mmCIF file of all heavy atoms in Angstrom:
data_model
loop_
_atom_site.group_PDB
_atom_site.id
_atom_site.type_symbol
_atom_site.label_atom_id
_atom_site.label_comp_id
_atom_site.label_asym_id
_atom_site.label_seq_id
_atom_site.Cartn_x
_atom_site.Cartn_y
_atom_site.Cartn_z
ATOM 1 N N MET K 154 142.506 76.909 92.642
ATOM 2 C CA MET K 154 142.545 77.326 94.047
ATOM 3 C C MET K 154 141.913 78.706 94.230
ATOM 4 O O MET K 154 141.058 78.921 95.089
ATOM 5 C CB MET K 154 144.018 77.330 94.498
ATOM 6 C CG MET K 154 144.186 77.551 95.969
ATOM 7 S SD MET K 154 143.406 76.219 96.921
ATOM 8 C CE MET K 154 143.462 76.951 98.504
ATOM 9 N N ILE K 157 138.282 78.702 93.899
ATOM 10 C CA ILE K 157 137.580 78.169 95.071
ATOM 11 C C ILE K 157 137.431 79.263 96.125
ATOM 12 O O ILE K 157 136.371 79.410 96.750
ATOM 13 C CB ILE K 157 138.318 76.941 95.638
ATOM 14 C CG1 ILE K 157 138.211 75.799 94.622
ATOM 15 C CG2 ILE K 157 137.718 76.519 96.963
ATOM 16 C CD1 ILE K 157 138.999 74.585 94.965
ATOM 17 N N LEU K 165 129.733 83.028 100.886
ATOM 18 C CA LEU K 165 129.645 83.769 102.139
ATOM 19 C C LEU K 165 128.709 84.974 101.976
ATOM 20 O O LEU K 165 127.812 85.222 102.776
ATOM 21 C CB LEU K 165 131.046 84.234 102.550
ATOM 22 C CG LEU K 165 131.144 85.003 103.855
ATOM 23 C CD1 LEU K 165 131.168 84.017 105.012
ATOM 24 C CD2 LEU K 165 132.385 85.868 103.886
ATOM 25 N N GLN K 176 109.656 88.055 108.059
ATOM 26 C CA GLN K 176 108.525 88.340 108.936
ATOM 27 C C GLN K 176 108.742 87.925 110.396
ATOM 28 O O GLN K 176 108.436 88.669 111.317
ATOM 29 C CB GLN K 176 107.271 87.649 108.391
ATOM 30 C CG GLN K 176 106.039 88.011 109.186
ATOM 31 C CD GLN K 176 104.781 87.557 108.480
ATOM 32 O OE1 GLN K 176 104.797 87.280 107.291
ATOM 33 N NE2 GLN K 176 103.687 87.505 109.200
ATOM 34 N N ASN K 177 109.296 86.721 110.576
ATOM 35 C CA ASN K 177 109.434 86.233 111.949
ATOM 36 C C ASN K 177 110.631 86.802 112.684
ATOM 37 O O ASN K 177 110.805 86.561 113.863
ATOM 38 C CB ASN K 177 109.495 84.716 111.956
ATOM 39 C CG ASN K 177 108.187 84.122 111.496
ATOM 40 O OD1 ASN K 177 107.144 84.447 112.048
ATOM 41 N ND2 ASN K 177 108.245 83.311 110.470
ATOM 42 N N SER K 227 100.943 110.498 97.389
ATOM 43 C CA SER K 227 101.224 109.889 96.085
ATOM 44 C C SER K 227 100.920 110.825 94.921
ATOM 45 O O SER K 227 101.637 110.844 93.935
ATOM 46 C CB SER K 227 100.407 108.614 95.904
ATOM 47 O OG SER K 227 100.941 107.618 96.712
ATOM 48 N N LYS K 248 116.591 115.675 106.870
ATOM 49 C CA LYS K 248 115.833 116.263 107.966
ATOM 50 C C LYS K 248 115.426 115.201 108.993
ATOM 51 O O LYS K 248 115.548 115.410 110.197
ATOM 52 C CB LYS K 248 114.587 116.979 107.423
ATOM 53 C CG LYS K 248 113.667 117.485 108.480
ATOM 54 C CD LYS K 248 113.086 118.842 108.163
ATOM 55 C CE LYS K 248 112.302 119.370 109.342
ATOM 56 N NZ LYS K 248 113.122 120.015 110.344
ATOM 57 N N SER K 252 116.731 115.237 112.822
ATOM 58 C CA SER K 252 115.790 115.348 113.933
ATOM 59 C C SER K 252 115.982 114.167 114.885
ATOM 60 O O SER K 252 115.819 114.295 116.097
ATOM 61 C CB SER K 252 114.353 115.447 113.426
ATOM 62 O OG SER K 252 113.680 114.240 113.574
ATOM 63 N N LYS K 256 117.341 114.313 118.990
ATOM 64 C CA LYS K 256 116.580 113.702 120.089
ATOM 65 C C LYS K 256 117.479 112.942 121.063
ATOM 66 O O LYS K 256 117.031 112.534 122.126
ATOM 67 C CB LYS K 256 115.533 112.729 119.547
ATOM 68 C CG LYS K 256 114.505 113.322 118.637
ATOM 69 C CD LYS K 256 113.310 113.828 119.399
ATOM 70 C CE LYS K 256 112.367 114.576 118.501
ATOM 71 N NZ LYS K 256 113.025 115.478 117.536
ATOM 72 N N VAL K 270 104.908 91.947 117.975
ATOM 73 C CA VAL K 270 104.530 92.381 116.633
ATOM 74 C C VAL K 270 103.039 92.122 116.445
ATOM 75 O O VAL K 270 102.575 91.009 116.647
ATOM 76 C CB VAL K 270 105.342 91.608 115.571
ATOM 77 C CG1 VAL K 270 104.909 91.993 114.175
ATOM 78 C CG2 VAL K 270 106.827 91.870 115.759
ATOM 79 N N ARG K 277 99.849 94.856 107.010
ATOM 80 C CA ARG K 277 101.158 95.300 107.460
ATOM 81 C C ARG K 277 101.313 94.962 108.939
ATOM 82 O O ARG K 277 100.368 94.531 109.597
ATOM 83 C CB ARG K 277 101.305 96.793 107.204
ATOM 84 C CG ARG K 277 101.344 97.086 105.717
ATOM 85 C CD ARG K 277 101.677 98.517 105.443
ATOM 86 N NE ARG K 277 100.531 99.379 105.486
ATOM 87 C CZ ARG K 277 99.741 99.626 104.443
ATOM 88 N NH1 ARG K 277 99.974 99.061 103.285
ATOM 89 N NH2 ARG K 277 98.723 100.439 104.562
ATOM 90 N N LYS K 287 112.003 107.100 134.514
ATOM 91 C CA LYS K 287 111.582 107.458 135.872
ATOM 92 C C LYS K 287 110.139 107.952 135.881
ATOM 93 O O LYS K 287 109.352 107.594 136.719
ATOM 94 C CB LYS K 287 112.492 108.564 136.407
ATOM 95 C CG LYS K 287 113.655 108.024 137.209
ATOM 96 C CD LYS K 287 114.612 109.134 137.569
ATOM 97 C CE LYS K 287 115.646 109.318 136.486
ATOM 98 N NZ LYS K 287 116.478 110.496 136.618
ATOM 99 N N LYS K 292 105.220 105.393 124.174
ATOM 100 C CA LYS K 292 105.017 104.275 123.261
ATOM 101 C C LYS K 292 105.711 104.585 121.952
ATOM 102 O O LYS K 292 105.455 105.623 121.348
ATOM 103 C CB LYS K 292 103.530 104.112 122.970
ATOM 104 C CG LYS K 292 102.773 103.485 124.081
ATOM 105 C CD LYS K 292 101.375 103.218 123.586
ATOM 106 C CE LYS K 292 100.518 102.787 124.747
ATOM 107 N NZ LYS K 292 99.109 102.820 124.365
ATOM 108 N N ASN K 299 105.652 94.697 103.787
ATOM 109 C CA ASN K 299 106.298 93.568 103.142
ATOM 110 C C ASN K 299 106.800 93.977 101.760
ATOM 111 O O ASN K 299 106.012 94.200 100.854
ATOM 112 C CB ASN K 299 105.260 92.446 103.027
ATOM 113 C CG ASN K 299 105.846 91.184 102.436
ATOM 114 O OD1 ASN K 299 107.017 91.153 102.085
ATOM 115 N ND2 ASN K 299 105.019 90.160 102.339
ATOM 116 N N ASN K 301 108.542 92.313 99.038
ATOM 117 C CA ASN K 301 109.016 91.042 98.487
ATOM 118 C C ASN K 301 109.662 90.154 99.535
ATOM 119 O O ASN K 301 110.760 89.632 99.336
ATOM 120 C CB ASN K 301 110.016 91.301 97.354
ATOM 121 C CG ASN K 301 109.328 91.913 96.158
ATOM 122 O OD1 ASN K 301 108.235 91.470 95.791
ATOM 123 N ND2 ASN K 301 109.931 92.929 95.579
ATOM 124 N N TYR K 307 108.185 101.787 107.318
ATOM 125 C CA TYR K 307 107.730 102.927 106.518
ATOM 126 C C TYR K 307 107.182 104.054 107.387
ATOM 127 O O TYR K 307 106.864 105.130 106.888
ATOM 128 C CB TYR K 307 106.669 102.488 105.499
ATOM 129 C CG TYR K 307 105.368 102.036 106.128
ATOM 130 C CD1 TYR K 307 104.322 102.936 106.309
ATOM 131 C CD2 TYR K 307 105.202 100.738 106.575
ATOM 132 C CE1 TYR K 307 103.140 102.533 106.907
ATOM 133 C CE2 TYR K 307 104.033 100.329 107.170
ATOM 134 C CZ TYR K 307 103.006 101.222 107.331
ATOM 135 O OH TYR K 307 101.843 100.842 107.935
ATOM 136 N N ASP K 312 103.678 107.717 120.684
ATOM 137 C CA ASP K 312 102.475 108.049 121.454
ATOM 138 C C ASP K 312 101.304 108.383 120.540
ATOM 139 O O ASP K 312 100.603 109.369 120.755
ATOM 140 C CB ASP K 312 102.745 109.229 122.396
ATOM 141 C CG ASP K 312 103.276 108.737 123.738
ATOM 142 O OD1 ASP K 312 103.027 107.571 124.080
ATOM 143 O OD2 ASP K 312 103.932 109.526 124.439
ATOM 144 N N SER K 315 102.010 109.743 114.255
ATOM 145 C CA SER K 315 102.773 109.169 113.157
ATOM 146 C C SER K 315 103.674 110.228 112.534
ATOM 147 O O SER K 315 103.238 111.330 112.223
ATOM 148 C CB SER K 315 101.806 108.612 112.109
ATOM 149 O OG SER K 315 102.247 108.906 110.808
ATOM 150 N N GLN K 318 102.577 110.990 108.992
ATOM 151 C CA GLN K 318 101.333 111.752 108.953
ATOM 152 C C GLN K 318 101.545 113.241 109.283
ATOM 153 O O GLN K 318 100.994 114.101 108.609
ATOM 154 C CB GLN K 318 100.321 111.131 109.932
ATOM 155 C CG GLN K 318 98.951 111.754 109.912
ATOM 156 C CD GLN K 318 98.186 111.404 108.655
ATOM 157 O OE1 GLN K 318 98.538 111.841 107.577
ATOM 158 N NE2 GLN K 318 97.144 110.607 108.801
ATOM 159 N N ARG K 321 103.132 114.826 106.369
ATOM 160 C CA ARG K 321 102.174 114.837 105.274
ATOM 161 C C ARG K 321 101.214 116.028 105.391
ATOM 162 O O ARG K 321 100.932 116.719 104.416
ATOM 163 C CB ARG K 321 101.409 113.513 105.326
ATOM 164 C CG ARG K 321 100.647 113.134 104.114
ATOM 165 C CD ARG K 321 100.073 111.760 104.384
ATOM 166 N NE ARG K 321 98.923 111.489 103.572
ATOM 167 C CZ ARG K 321 98.965 110.749 102.467
ATOM 168 N NH1 ARG K 321 100.088 110.227 102.075
ATOM 169 N NH2 ARG K 321 97.873 110.553 101.785
ATOM 170 N N GLN K 322 100.723 116.235 106.620
ATOM 171 C CA GLN K 322 99.803 117.345 106.841
ATOM 172 C C GLN K 322 100.496 118.691 106.630
ATOM 173 O O GLN K 322 99.927 119.618 106.066
ATOM 174 C CB GLN K 322 99.243 117.298 108.264
ATOM 175 C CG GLN K 322 98.438 116.052 108.576
ATOM 176 C CD GLN K 322 97.063 116.073 107.949
ATOM 177 O OE1 GLN K 322 96.668 117.079 107.367
ATOM 178 N NE2 GLN K 322 96.345 114.980 108.055
ATOM 179 N N GLN K 323 101.729 118.786 107.118
ATOM 180 C CA GLN K 323 102.454 120.040 106.944
ATOM 181 C C GLN K 323 102.707 120.337 105.475
ATOM 182 O O GLN K 323 102.498 121.455 105.015
ATOM 183 C CB GLN K 323 103.794 119.991 107.682
ATOM 184 C CG GLN K 323 103.668 120.014 109.183
ATOM 185 C CD GLN K 323 105.032 119.983 109.832
ATOM 186 O OE1 GLN K 323 105.701 120.998 109.921
ATOM 187 N NE2 GLN K 323 105.456 118.809 110.257
ATOM 188 N N TYR B 295 137.733 74.427 101.911
ATOM 189 C CA TYR B 295 136.868 75.432 101.273
ATOM 190 C C TYR B 295 135.490 74.882 100.995
ATOM 191 O O TYR B 295 134.485 75.550 101.163
ATOM 192 C CB TYR B 295 137.522 75.934 99.988
ATOM 193 C CG TYR B 295 138.675 76.859 100.281
ATOM 194 C CD1 TYR B 295 139.979 76.474 99.970
ATOM 195 C CD2 TYR B 295 138.465 78.086 100.898
ATOM 196 C CE1 TYR B 295 141.041 77.281 100.270
ATOM 197 C CE2 TYR B 295 139.529 78.912 101.196
ATOM 198 C CZ TYR B 295 140.811 78.516 100.883
ATOM 199 O OH TYR B 295 141.849 79.333 101.184
ATOM 200 N N PHE B 302 128.119 77.409 104.857
ATOM 201 C CA PHE B 302 127.324 78.636 104.675
ATOM 202 C C PHE B 302 126.022 78.362 103.944
ATOM 203 O O PHE B 302 124.990 78.928 104.284
ATOM 204 C CB PHE B 302 128.137 79.704 103.951
ATOM 205 C CG PHE B 302 129.064 80.406 104.894
ATOM 206 C CD1 PHE B 302 130.439 80.260 104.782
ATOM 207 C CD2 PHE B 302 128.548 81.191 105.926
ATOM 208 C CE1 PHE B 302 131.282 80.903 105.674
ATOM 209 C CE2 PHE B 302 129.402 81.819 106.810
ATOM 210 C CZ PHE B 302 130.775 81.674 106.685
ATOM 211 N N THR B 325 100.249 87.038 113.939
ATOM 212 C CA THR B 325 101.212 87.538 112.975
ATOM 213 C C THR B 325 101.732 86.430 112.083
ATOM 214 O O THR B 325 102.345 86.689 111.077
ATOM 215 C CB THR B 325 102.407 88.191 113.673
ATOM 216 O OG1 THR B 325 103.018 87.211 114.508
ATOM 217 C CG2 THR B 325 101.992 89.377 114.486
ATOM 218 N N CYS B 326 101.506 85.185 112.484
ATOM 219 C CA CYS B 326 102.067 84.093 111.724
ATOM 220 C C CYS B 326 101.066 83.450 110.774
ATOM 221 O O CYS B 326 101.419 82.579 110.015
ATOM 222 C CB CYS B 326 102.626 83.039 112.663
ATOM 223 S SG CYS B 326 104.391 83.251 112.903
ATOM 224 N N ASP B 329 101.991 83.230 106.351
ATOM 225 C CA ASP B 329 103.433 83.404 106.397
ATOM 226 C C ASP B 329 103.918 84.222 105.222
ATOM 227 O O ASP B 329 104.771 85.092 105.361
ATOM 228 C CB ASP B 329 104.101 82.041 106.415
ATOM 229 C CG ASP B 329 105.541 82.154 106.820
ATOM 230 O OD1 ASP B 329 105.802 82.368 108.020
ATOM 231 O OD2 ASP B 329 106.384 82.091 105.930
ATOM 232 N N LEU B 331 102.812 86.848 102.978
ATOM 233 C CA LEU B 331 101.865 87.882 102.572
ATOM 234 C C LEU B 331 102.336 88.448 101.238
ATOM 235 O O LEU B 331 103.531 88.506 100.975
ATOM 236 C CB LEU B 331 101.833 89.001 103.612
ATOM 237 C CG LEU B 331 101.180 88.659 104.950
ATOM 238 C CD1 LEU B 331 101.515 89.743 105.957
ATOM 239 C CD2 LEU B 331 99.685 88.550 104.787
ATOM 240 N N PRO B 333 103.661 91.000 98.689
ATOM 241 C CA PRO B 333 104.371 92.247 98.906
ATOM 242 C C PRO B 333 103.459 93.417 98.575
ATOM 243 O O PRO B 333 102.716 93.357 97.592
ATOM 244 C CB PRO B 333 105.548 92.177 97.938
ATOM 245 C CG PRO B 333 105.139 91.174 96.918
ATOM 246 C CD PRO B 333 104.238 90.213 97.599
ATOM 247 N N ASP B 334 103.429 94.447 99.408
ATOM 248 C CA ASP B 334 102.591 95.561 99.003
ATOM 249 C C ASP B 334 103.409 96.824 98.784
ATOM 250 O O ASP B 334 103.684 97.587 99.671
ATOM 251 C CB ASP B 334 101.391 95.750 99.933
ATOM 252 C CG ASP B 334 101.704 96.378 101.268
ATOM 253 O OD1 ASP B 334 102.712 96.020 101.879
ATOM 254 O OD2 ASP B 334 100.937 97.222 101.667
ATOM 255 N N GLU B 341 97.928 105.091 100.827
ATOM 256 C CA GLU B 341 97.163 106.340 100.825
ATOM 257 C C GLU B 341 95.941 106.204 101.725
ATOM 258 O O GLU B 341 95.543 107.142 102.404
ATOM 259 C CB GLU B 341 96.735 106.709 99.401
ATOM 260 C CG GLU B 341 97.886 107.131 98.504
ATOM 261 C CD GLU B 341 98.591 108.397 98.970
ATOM 262 O OE1 GLU B 341 97.899 109.382 99.272
ATOM 263 O OE2 GLU B 341 99.829 108.393 99.044
ATOM 264 N N GLU B 343 95.718 104.440 104.422
ATOM 265 C CA GLU B 343 96.124 104.520 105.827
ATOM 266 C C GLU B 343 96.295 105.960 106.282
ATOM 267 O O GLU B 343 95.952 106.307 107.410
ATOM 268 C CB GLU B 343 97.433 103.748 106.022
ATOM 269 C CG GLU B 343 97.979 103.872 107.435
ATOM 270 C CD GLU B 343 99.222 103.028 107.666
ATOM 271 O OE1 GLU B 343 99.437 102.069 106.919
ATOM 272 O OE2 GLU B 343 99.972 103.350 108.594
ATOM 273 N N PHE B 344 96.817 106.799 105.408
ATOM 274 C CA PHE B 344 97.131 108.152 105.842
ATOM 275 C C PHE B 344 96.057 109.172 105.485
ATOM 276 O O PHE B 344 96.131 110.321 105.899
ATOM 277 C CB PHE B 344 98.486 108.587 105.272
ATOM 278 C CG PHE B 344 99.620 107.806 105.844
ATOM 279 C CD1 PHE B 344 100.233 106.805 105.126
ATOM 280 C CD2 PHE B 344 100.061 108.058 107.139
ATOM 281 C CE1 PHE B 344 101.274 106.071 105.676
ATOM 282 C CE2 PHE B 344 101.093 107.334 107.697
ATOM 283 C CZ PHE B 344 101.703 106.331 106.962
ATOM 284 N N GLY B 345 95.071 108.732 104.716
ATOM 285 C CA GLY B 345 93.959 109.630 104.419
ATOM 286 C C GLY B 345 94.273 110.625 103.315
ATOM 287 O O GLY B 345 95.418 110.793 102.906
ATOM 288 N N GLU B 388 116.576 116.889 141.405
ATOM 289 C CA GLU B 388 115.545 116.203 140.638
ATOM 290 C C GLU B 388 114.606 115.391 141.528
ATOM 291 O O GLU B 388 113.395 115.381 141.321
ATOM 292 C CB GLU B 388 116.188 115.297 139.587
ATOM 293 C CG GLU B 388 115.196 114.861 138.529
ATOM 294 C CD GLU B 388 115.761 113.853 137.545
ATOM 295 O OE1 GLU B 388 116.878 113.346 137.765
ATOM 296 O OE2 GLU B 388 115.076 113.560 136.561
ATOM 297 N N LYS B 537 111.939 121.423 116.561
ATOM 298 C CA LYS B 537 112.852 121.343 115.417
ATOM 299 C C LYS B 537 112.298 120.473 114.296
ATOM 300 O O LYS B 537 112.708 120.591 113.155
ATOM 301 C CB LYS B 537 114.197 120.780 115.870
ATOM 302 C CG LYS B 537 115.115 121.829 116.453
ATOM 303 C CD LYS B 537 116.493 121.255 116.634
ATOM 304 C CE LYS B 537 117.349 122.176 117.492
ATOM 305 N NZ LYS B 537 118.465 121.434 118.085
ATOM 306 N N ASP B 538 111.401 119.549 114.643
ATOM 307 C CA ASP B 538 110.821 118.680 113.625
ATOM 308 C C ASP B 538 109.822 119.405 112.742
ATOM 309 O O ASP B 538 109.441 118.914 111.693
ATOM 310 C CB ASP B 538 110.083 117.501 114.280
ATOM 311 C CG ASP B 538 111.048 116.526 114.896
ATOM 312 O OD1 ASP B 538 112.253 116.676 114.635
ATOM 313 O OD2 ASP B 538 110.602 115.634 115.617
ATOM 314 N N ILE B 540 108.194 121.943 110.225
ATOM 315 C CA ILE B 540 108.535 122.812 109.112
ATOM 316 C C ILE B 540 107.664 124.058 109.259
ATOM 317 O O ILE B 540 108.074 125.160 108.976
ATOM 318 C CB ILE B 540 108.288 122.097 107.771
ATOM 319 C CG1 ILE B 540 109.193 120.861 107.728
ATOM 320 C CG2 ILE B 540 108.589 123.010 106.587
ATOM 321 C CD1 ILE B 540 108.762 119.833 106.766
ATOM 322 N N ASP B 541 106.433 123.822 109.749
ATOM 323 C CA ASP B 541 105.515 124.910 110.042
ATOM 324 C C ASP B 541 104.931 124.577 111.420
ATOM 325 O O ASP B 541 104.230 123.573 111.564
ATOM 326 C CB ASP B 541 104.424 124.940 108.956
ATOM 327 C CG ASP B 541 103.562 126.181 109.064
ATOM 328 O OD1 ASP B 541 103.783 126.985 109.992
ATOM 329 O OD2 ASP B 541 102.666 126.335 108.215
ATOM 330 N N PHE B 545 101.932 121.531 112.666
ATOM 331 C CA PHE B 545 102.682 120.412 113.248
ATOM 332 C C PHE B 545 102.146 120.084 114.645
ATOM 333 O O PHE B 545 101.809 118.941 114.939
ATOM 334 C CB PHE B 545 104.167 120.767 113.305
ATOM 335 C CG PHE B 545 105.003 119.765 114.044
ATOM 336 C CD1 PHE B 545 105.384 118.577 113.431
ATOM 337 C CD2 PHE B 545 105.406 120.005 115.343
ATOM 338 C CE1 PHE B 545 106.157 117.654 114.112
ATOM 339 C CE2 PHE B 545 106.179 119.073 116.031
ATOM 340 C CZ PHE B 545 106.556 117.904 115.411
ATOM 341 N N ASP B 548 98.428 118.746 114.486
ATOM 342 C CA ASP B 548 98.242 117.356 114.085
ATOM 343 C C ASP B 548 98.799 116.384 115.100
ATOM 344 O O ASP B 548 98.240 115.317 115.320
ATOM 345 C CB ASP B 548 98.865 117.113 112.706
ATOM 346 C CG ASP B 548 98.126 117.893 111.651
ATOM 347 O OD1 ASP B 548 96.891 117.922 111.716
ATOM 348 O OD2 ASP B 548 98.787 118.497 110.796
ATOM 349 N N GLN B 552 96.368 113.587 116.731
ATOM 350 C CA GLN B 552 96.682 112.155 116.656
ATOM 351 C C GLN B 552 96.870 111.546 118.033
ATOM 352 O O GLN B 552 96.427 110.438 118.308
ATOM 353 C CB GLN B 552 97.962 111.941 115.845
ATOM 354 C CG GLN B 552 97.795 112.184 114.360
ATOM 355 C CD GLN B 552 99.092 111.841 113.628
ATOM 356 O OE1 GLN B 552 99.624 110.762 113.772
ATOM 357 N NE2 GLN B 552 99.604 112.769 112.854
ATOM 358 N N ASN B 553 97.545 112.297 118.907
ATOM 359 C CA ASN B 553 97.793 111.809 120.259
ATOM 360 C C ASN B 553 96.489 111.613 121.034
ATOM 361 O O ASN B 553 96.310 110.633 121.750
ATOM 362 C CB ASN B 553 98.729 112.778 120.984
ATOM 363 C CG ASN B 553 99.010 112.353 122.406
ATOM 364 O OD1 ASN B 553 98.413 112.881 123.338
ATOM 365 N ND2 ASN B 553 99.890 111.400 122.585
ATOM 366 N N GLU B 560 92.552 103.967 123.883
ATOM 367 C CA GLU B 560 93.145 103.110 124.913
ATOM 368 C C GLU B 560 92.118 102.606 125.917
ATOM 369 O O GLU B 560 91.267 103.345 126.348
ATOM 370 C CB GLU B 560 94.235 103.877 125.670
ATOM 371 C CG GLU B 560 95.567 103.756 124.986
ATOM 372 C CD GLU B 560 96.612 104.708 125.591
ATOM 373 O OE1 GLU B 560 96.307 105.358 126.604
ATOM 374 O OE2 GLU B 560 97.693 104.775 125.026
#
Side-chain angles (χ1 to χ4, degrees):
Chain K
M154 188 62 192
I157 292 174
L165 181 82
Q176 185 168 342
N177 294 306
S227 287
K248 174 140 187 83
S252 103
K256 300 271 173 318
V270 177
R277 293 188 275 272
K287 266 173 271 170
K292 284 188 189 167
N299 183 358
N301 292 317
Y307 67 93
D312 271 337
S315 139
Q318 185 72 292
R321 196 176 157 100
Q322 298 285 354
Q323 290 181 80
Chain B
Y295 286 113
F302 280 113
T325 59
C326 264
D329 195 75
L331 289 167
D334 76 318
E341 291 297 312
E343 176 176 339
F344 293 103
E388 196 186 9
K537 276 190 192 159
D538 289 350
I540 299 160
D541 189 358
F545 173 79
D548 294 318
Q552 288 184 53
N553 179 260
E560 273 170 6

